[in-house]
Amino acid sequence: MATLAVPETIPSASEDAEQIWKACKGWGTDETAIITILAHRDATQRKIIRLAFEEQYKENLIMRLESELSGDLERAVYLWIFDPVEREAIIANIAVKKNIDYQAIIEIACVNSPKELLVVKEEYHDRYKRSLEEDIAVHTVGDFRQACTSEFTYRYDGDETDTAVVRLEAKTFHDAIKSQTFNHNEVIRILSTRSKAQLCATFNYYKDEYGIPITKALTSESPNEFALALRMAIRCIVSPQKYFAKVLQNAVGKAGTDEDALTRVIVMRAEKDLKVIKEMFHKRTNATLKHAVGTETCGHYNSFLLALVGN
Amino acid sequence: MATLAVPETIPSASEDAEQIWKACKGWGTDETAIITILAHRDATQRKIIRLAFEEQYKENLIMRLESELSGDLERAVYLWIFDPVEREAIIANIAVKKNIDYQAIIEIACVNSPKELLVVKEEYHDRYKRSLEEDIAVHTVGDFRQACTSEFTYRYDGDETDTAVVRLEAKTFHDAIKSQTFNHNEVIRILSTRSKAQLCATFNYYKDEYGIPITKALTSESPNEFALALRMAIRCIVSPQKYFAKVLQNAVGKAGTDEDALTRVIVMRAEKDLKVIKEMFHKRTNATLKHAVGTETCGHYNSFLLALVGN
């Protein structure tokens, strides 16, 4: 389901490193050469190229690329070159430092499986010498703090569901939405501690029982920021692909393109499920993602994203 | 630092299983034989004995012992026979079902290292098909819910401390204590997300700056249940051994002995640091733990605890 296209035969990491070094040497940078290599290597291959570059040229490849590239291309290549776990730890840290980008935080907390999330948290510890929850808690207050830090709970990952709990908790959501008390402690408790399978069963029951999807019910009246965040978390839990297709639609649909969101989704999902997200994007918008990226971006940044989006 | 005494040469697991089976056979039970074996085998040996028993007699050893033993001895042997990780998951579950035993929950959350706690949480998932935080959240409300579930955050485990943060957060504690607002969001945030090294530095600074240990300051006026829980968490973080010595002191010091606490601490720590806890107990009370257990308990329960406490 990935869109990343790695050629059947590729040069050795040492040769790739040499080509990148040549592309960086002297005045100017050969962005095309860099993109042709890096946008067509998987996470393991990129890691080996980084090591080979460091070994051969006694220089950190990431820092070299940061000095050679600029703007949206620099940011995109910077995120891409890491493996998925390193990348999500970095994205989380950027989100925290932005004081605070809730969307990126909620995506990481709610899209990953409990085991995946745990590895991201460990990477965060190693990299920043603090815990991710610690940094989020410092940069948030009140309901948002409680909701955001709670979402990093180590959920149960099994498929079992408890029907009695489903009924009870669907009603809890319904009562909270009816009285517009989204920050209700019980809402946060359920959303942050129940397993994804249990939550999906609850949301399905909600739709059957109350005749409206919970994500619509949450925002049927003029929604506040907190209700929107809850809806986002639910979407990430229920169907990450559908959620990311919507993020891409928003990113290219605005008057000005949201390059940060466009980069984040394409880079994060190219090695995972971007193929499915592309199909959903197509269904939603009647346009291909390739076409949308083609019209909304330009230059080497455009080439890089298109290489990741694939054909 | 453990008190568990395993003989230099021990029978094979198969022979141990046979002796336990003989001790259980027919009318009556030979508790002494069971204690002589199980109280002198380490976690790995006990696990192999369980497997050998099941293999040889097609019967679950734990269920057999539950039907053969009773009262405090049954509960103590039941907890002892598991390995430390299984045991803590079981203790946590018993604490949750007691609706809710905060002390046992706080001990597990705050005494274990982040990595140890993670393994306990994984065992809890496997065993109960729910997450520990999920069960705690269901059985708690308000400040206690927030505080208890937060304490299970995956903290950073390094030794680095940030002096500026130390000063700032010692003052936050001081202000909260001064205004008797222990449930202040910032207090819970600091206590539940900061690394243990950072917290210890903060509490040391607190003592130097304000002339009183934070644990004393917390309870200097008539403390409510929440302030007592905070103090317990701080003690577990700063010095688990000192904390457990105090729990033992309370358990044997009351008019009626608190067998649950006595069992929990001795069983949990016999393979870890009970030797240090015993010394601290001696210093605090001028009596040996052996003597205290000897006078406060009787029968086979007494023999079992004394075997674990060691000489």
Side-chain angles (χ1 to χ4, degrees), chain A residues 106-123:
Chain A
I106 291 171
E107 282 171 10
I108 290 170
C110 299
V111 168
N112 283 299
S113 75
K115 295 269 179 209
E116 286 167 344
L117 182 56
L118 193 61
V119 185
V120 172
K121 293 202 282 186
E122 282 174 343
E123 174 67 27

Side-chain angles (χ1 to χ4, degrees), chain A residues 125 131-135 137-138 145-146 149-150, chain B residues 109-110 114 117 121 143-156 169 173 184-196 199 203 230 233-234 237:
Chain A
H125 287 203
S131 85
L132 176 51
E133 293 96 318
E134 184 178 356
D135 279 354
V138 168
R145 174 187 289 170
Q146 205 192 333
T149 52
S150 303
Chain B
C110 299
L117 183 57
K121 293 203 281 186
D143 296 331
F144 266 100
R145 175 186 290 169
Q146 205 191 332
C148 282
T149 52
S150 302
E151 287 300 334
F152 286 86
T153 297
Y154 187 41
R155 298 175 197 268
Y156 174 60
E169 298 190 344
F173 276 116
H184 194 288
N185 273 328
E186 288 294 295
V187 168
I188 297 176
R189 170 186 68 76
I190 296 167
L191 205 54
S192 62
T193 64
R194 293 302 188 195
S195 73
K196 292 190 177 190
L199 285 172
F203 301 145
L230 289 186
I234 293 174
I237 289 168

Side-chain angles (χ1 to χ4, degrees), chain A residues 146 181-190, chain B residues 141-143 145:
Chain A
Q146 205 192 333
T181 50
F182 306 120
N183 59 347
H184 194 288
N185 271 328
E186 288 295 294
V187 169
I188 296 176
R189 171 186 66 79
I190 297 168
Chain B
V141 290
D143 296 331
R145 175 186 290 169

Side-chain angles (χ1 to χ4, degrees), chain A:
Chain A
M1 298 197 303
T3 52
L4 171 69
V6 178
E8 274 191 34
T9 55
I10 53 166
S12 69
S14 160
E15 287 169 299
D16 276 345
E18 191 185 341
Q19 291 308 315
I20 295 172
W21 184 73
K22 280 183 183 160
C24 295
K25 215 173 55 171
W27 286 101
T29 308
D30 182 354
E31 285 91 351
T32 306
I34 295 172
I35 293 169
T36 307
I37 297 170
L38 290 179
H40 297 286
R41 301 291 183 271
D42 66 26
T44 312
Q45 292 160 346
R46 296 193 303 274
K47 191 158 240 173
I48 303 173
I49 294 171
R50 273 160 65 186
L51 294 172
F53 192 91
E54 181 113 27
E55 171 76 19
Q56 285 164 229
Y57 306 104
K58 311 296 172 217
E59 205 183 336
N60 182 295
L61 174 58
I62 294 164
M63 287 171 72
R64 181 64 190 254
L65 289 175
E66 280 187 286
S67 75
E68 293 289 335
L69 308 174
S70 64
D72 292 322
L73 177 68
E74 178 196 343
R75 283 188 287 275
V77 171
Y78 176 79
L79 285 182
W80 171 248
I81 204 164
F82 293 101
D83 71 36
V85 172
E86 294 173 310
R87 182 189 304 131
E88 296 209 13
I90 291 167
I91 289 176
N93 188 250
I94 294 171
V96 166
K97 285 198 287 193
K98 273 190 184 166
N99 203 23
I100 186 173
D101 174 358
Y102 291 115
Q103 184 168 14
I105 294 291
I106 291 171
E107 282 171 10
I108 290 170
C110 299
V111 168
N112 283 299
S113 75
K115 295 269 179 209
E116 286 167 344
L117 182 56
L118 193 61
V119 185
V120 172
K121 293 202 282 186
E122 282 174 343
E123 174 67 27
Y124 197 96
H125 287 203
D126 290 346
R127 193 167 273 271
Y128 303 109
K129 308 297 173 203
R130 294 185 304 275
S131 85
L132 176 51
E133 293 96 318
E134 184 178 356
D135 279 354
I136 293 172
V138 168
H139 289 88
T140 45
V141 290
D143 298 332
F144 265 100
R145 174 187 289 170
Q146 205 192 333
C148 282
T149 52
S150 303
E151 286 301 335
F152 285 86
T153 296
Y154 186 43
R155 297 174 197 269
Y156 174 61
D157 201 17
D159 289 332
E160 302 85 350
T161 58
D162 182 326
T163 315
V165 170
V166 160
R167 286 163 192 264
L168 199 69
E169 297 190 344
K171 187 171 180 315
T172 304
F173 276 117
H174 185 249
D175 292 347
I177 290 170
K178 211 166 141 188
S179 61
Q180 298 276 299
T181 50
F182 306 120
N183 59 347
H184 194 288
N185 271 328
E186 288 295 294
V187 169
I188 296 176
R189 171 186 66 79
I190 297 168
L191 204 55
S192 63
T193 66
R194 293 301 188 196
S195 72
K196 292 191 176 186
Q198 179 73 33
L199 286 172
C200 288
T202 301
F203 301 144
N204 284 335
Y205 179 85
Y206 188 101
K207 193 180 165 190
D208 293 344
E209 183 70 13
Y210 303 109
I212 179 173
I214 187 166
T215 45
K216 279 222 165 63
L218 263 172
T219 50
S220 59
E221 302 196 21
S222 59
N224 61 20
E225 204 192 2
F226 194 78
L228 293 172
L230 289 185
R231 186 181 63 173
M232 195 186 294
I234 294 174
R235 282 183 170 161
C236 286
I237 289 168
V238 173
S239 173
Q241 288 85 18
K242 212 166 141 187
Y243 162 80
F244 282 125
K246 177 78 182 164
V247 174
L248 288 174
Q249 185 183 5
N250 290 341
V252 296
K254 287 183 186 168
T257 313
D258 181 350
E259 285 86 1
D260 282 350
L262 195 62
T263 300
R264 192 177 73 244
V265 176
I266 291 178
V267 164
M268 278 209 299
R269 311 312 295 184
E271 271 176 293
K272 291 181 176 166
D273 51 8
L274 192 54
K275 203 171 258 182
V276 183
I277 296 168
K278 266 165 72 175
E279 286 161 15
M280 287 179 169
F281 180 93
H282 197 174
K283 268 191 206 154
R284 289 189 83 93
T285 63
N286 282 324
T288 63
L289 181 57
K290 192 179 161 183
H291 178 260
V293 170
T295 53
E296 294 290 327
T297 63
C298 60
H300 296 300
Y301 174 57
N302 170 284
S303 317
F304 181 68
L305 291 188
L306 287 180
L308 293 186
V309 167
N311 288 310

Side-chain angles (χ1 to χ4, degrees), chain B residues 250-311:
Chain B
N250 290 340
V252 296
K254 287 182 185 168
T257 312
D258 181 350
E259 285 84 2
D260 282 352
L262 196 60
T263 300
R264 191 178 73 244
V265 176
I266 291 178
V267 164
M268 278 208 298
R269 311 311 295 184
E271 272 175 296
K272 291 181 176 168
D273 50 8
L274 192 53
K275 203 171 259 181
V276 184
I277 296 169
K278 266 166 72 176
E279 286 160 15
M280 288 180 168
F281 180 92
H282 197 174
K283 268 190 208 155
R284 290 189 83 95
T285 64
N286 282 324
T288 64
L289 181 58
K290 193 178 161 185
H291 178 261
V293 170
T295 53
E296 295 289 326
T297 64
C298 60
H300 296 300
Y301 174 58
N302 169 285
S303 315
F304 181 69
L305 291 190
L306 287 180
L308 293 186
V309 167
N311 289 309

